[in-house]
Amino acid sequence: MRALILVDLQNDFMPGGALAVPDGDAVVPVANALAASSTYAHVIATQDWHPADHGSFAANHAGRSPGEQIELHGLAQVLWPVHCVQETRGAAFVDTLEASRVTKVFFKGTDPTVDSYSGFFDNGQRKATGLGAFLKDQGVNAVDVLGLATDYCVKFTALDAARLGFATRLVVDGCRGVNLSEGDSERAVAEMRAAGVEVVESDALLAAGARD
Ligand code: VGL
Ligand code: ZN
């Protein structure tokens, strides 16, 4: 059984948002098309869901700016603009997402002391969100991953999925990256591929959907 995992399709990651991913809105039609197909036993969504005092926000570190790197409680941390603050419009799903297809939501980044790029674990791999246990409990053994951003939350979600033993595919046309450094997204895709993630296009999945 396969699940679709939609990573962080939230207003703050869309053009005009606080942490806008270039062309980020282009992935929403891909998410909607796949979510509407009958291929998936579950359509899961993650939401980046930070308290206002989150340690990943540059604004919470005197004299620091977004894009700088610090050490946060022993872990390397890129500093970000304030984004996806719990209960704000920026943290809500983008309106164009057909959210009624989503069967279960997992929240991440709720602990102010540690960031959480993966939908499965925090960046220290200490606390689970419950996503892995939920999927296993439901008999899911395969996942398709898409969303924002390729070089952060999508990458770490797909890597954890593969590591946990799920047959993992990255729907590459359903992802866009932040690209703080040029080529970050390409390197992220290569890293996922090297970890056993299959890289696929949504068209091929939708065409195959009629067969499986
Ligand atoms: C993300 C940076 C900070 C993401 C979340 O969704 O990729 N990136 N928080
Ligand atoms: Zn975040």
Side-chain angles (χ1 to χ4, degrees):
M1 267 208 300
R2 189 173 286 276
L4 178 65
I5 303 179
L6 307 175
V7 178
D8 296 3
L9 298 179
Q10 297 166 266
N11 289 314
D12 271 344
F13 297 121
M14 299 293 157
L19 207 176
V21 177
D23 201 31
D25 52 341
V27 310
V28 182
V30 178
N32 287 336
L34 285 177
S37 79
S38 54
T39 312
Y40 300 104
H42 283 279
V43 179
I44 309 289
T46 64
Q47 267 175 292
D48 209 34
W49 198 249
H50 298 307
D53 64 348
H54 198 263
S56 74
F57 297 164
N60 291 330
H61 301 272
R64 298 289 187 172
S65 308
E68 286 184 42
Q69 195 158 314
I70 64 160
E71 198 177 286
L72 186 65
H73 304 285
L75 296 176
Q77 175 69 52
V78 176
L79 292 176
W80 301 108
V82 174
H83 66 278
C84 295
V85 173
Q86 295 172 3
E87 312 293 350
T88 64
R89 168 139 187 91
F93 289 128
V94 60
D95 291 338
T96 48
L97 176 69
E98 284 162 28
S100 63
R101 304 274 182 186
V102 174
T103 49
K104 185 111 178 141
V105 179
F106 289 87
F107 297 93
K108 61 191 182 56
T110 57
D111 179 343
T113 67
V114 63
D115 212 353
S116 188
Y117 293 147
S118 164
F120 291 91
F121 297 98
D122 66 68
N123 290 3
Q125 303 264 352
R126 289 182 204 115
K127 260 198 222 134
T129 60
L131 173 55
F134 173 81
L135 293 175
K136 286 195 173 158
D137 190 57
Q138 296 289 315
V140 169
N141 59 1
V143 297
D144 289 351
V145 180
L146 66 79
L148 304 173
T150 315
D151 38 358
Y152 290 94
C153 293
V154 169
K155 174 175 112 171
F156 287 100
T157 299
L159 290 177
D160 277 345
R163 192 171 53 83
L164 290 172
F166 297 101
T168 304
R169 300 190 297 200
L170 176 76
V171 186
V172 69
D173 57 312
C175 302
R176 293 294 185 279
V178 179
N179 294 306
L180 280 182
S181 298
E182 203 189 312
D184 280 354
S185 288
E186 286 84 353
R187 281 188 289 276
V189 172
E191 221 179 299
M192 289 183 259
R193 216 191 284 270
V197 174
E198 188 187 349
V199 178
V200 297
E201 300 269 350
S202 62
D203 279 359
L205 299 186
L206 291 166
R211 299 195 299 270
D212 56 41

